[in-house]
Amino acid sequence: MLERFLVLESGPTISTYNSLVKGFCKAGDLAGASKILKMMIGRGFVPTPTTYNYFFKYFSKHAKIEEGMNLYTKMIESGYTPDRLTYHLLMKMLCEEERLDLAVQVSKEMRARRCDMDLATSTMLVHLLCKMRSFEEAFTEFEDMIRRGIVPQYLTFQRMNDALKKEGMIE
C-alpha cells in the first residue's frame, strides 16, 4: 500500500507516516518502524515528537532502557524537541526500572528545556526517590511540586510522611 502511495502525486502525508510508525511499533517491529522513519526523513518530512513517542511507548512497555535513552540522545542531537509525553514516557520507563540516576538526569534536562514536570512525572520521581531511600531529594521534589502549584496526591504525601518518620526525620 505504501508503494502505491509513493507513486501518487500527493504521496503519503505526515499522518500516514506516523500511522505506519505506530503500527510497526505496536507490532514490535522496530526495524520496520525505523525504515518508515528513514523513508519519511528521506522524502523531506520532519518527524514530530509524536513520531518518536511511538518508539518511546514501545521502549517503556518493554523496559528497553538502552534503546530508549539512545533514541532520546539521537533525537536531541538531531535538533528535535521532546514534548511532555516524551518526557513522561521516559520517566515512567526509568522509574519502573529503578534507574534513579537517569531519571534525575532526564528531569533536569526537562527543566532546562523549560518543560515543567507535571503531577504524573513529579509523582513518579518522588516515589522512586523514596523507594531508593533518597529522602531529602524526595522532600525537595515534593516541596517543588507545591511551589509550582501542583497538588501532590494524598498517597504521595502519606508514602513520604511514613518513610520520613521511619527514618526519624520528623521535622
Side-chain angles (χ1 to χ4, degrees):
M1 190 65 179
L2 183 59
E3 288 173 13
R4 286 185 186 172
F5 253 126
L6 294 173
V7 297
L8 295 174
E9 192 174 310
S10 61
T13 65
I14 187 82
S15 295
T16 307
Y17 285 116
N18 280 345
S19 294
L20 288 166
V21 168
K22 178 182 180 180
F24 278 107
C25 285
K26 271 187 143 180
D29 184 354
L30 294 187
S34 296
K35 184 178 172 185
I36 297 297
L37 179 62
K38 288 175 186 164
M39 181 187 303
M40 177 181 173
I41 293 168
R43 294 189 55 102
F45 287 91
V46 177
T48 64
T50 301
T51 311
Y52 288 105
N53 288 343
Y54 294 127
F55 287 96
F56 290 123
K57 280 180 187 174
Y58 175 85
F59 295 142
S60 179
K61 185 177 180 180
H62 299 281
K64 303 269 186 186
I65 294 172
E66 294 293 319
E67 293 90 335
M69 293 308 294
N70 285 340
L71 180 61
Y72 172 69
T73 301
K74 286 179 187 175
M75 185 180 174
I76 300 292
E77 288 172 353
S78 299
Y80 297 108
T81 305
D83 64 6
R84 190 172 303 281
L85 179 58
T86 306
Y87 285 117
H88 176 88
L89 293 166
L90 285 170
M91 290 295 289
K92 181 177 188 251
M93 175 181 69
L94 296 171
C95 289
E96 285 177 352
E97 296 302 312
E98 297 182 4
R99 292 297 304 269
L100 181 58
D101 54 335
L102 291 173
V104 169
Q105 176 190 329
V106 168
S107 72
K108 286 179 182 174
E109 290 174 18
M110 190 175 176
R111 288 181 177 116
R113 292 181 174 277
R114 302 211 188 295
C115 187
D116 278 338
M117 291 176 56
D118 59 10
L119 175 64
T121 52
S122 293
T123 299
M124 286 186 283
L125 184 57
V126 168
H127 286 218
L128 178 60
L129 287 163
C130 285
K131 191 173 192 177
M132 304 303 285
R133 307 181 57 77
S134 297
F135 300 114
E136 289 184 26
E137 292 88 346
F139 184 74
T140 300
E141 182 61 36
F142 188 85
E143 277 187 321
D144 190 52
M145 287 172 72
I146 295 168
R147 183 189 56 75
R148 289 180 287 138
I150 297 173
V151 180
Q153 296 171 328
Y154 181 72
L155 174 67
T156 305
F157 166 77
Q158 195 173 29
R159 188 175 284 184
M160 238 185 86
N161 192 42
D162 292 347
L164 291 171
K165 281 182 180 177
K166 191 176 178 180
E167 291 296 309
M169 302 171 82
I170 306 300
E171 284 185 45

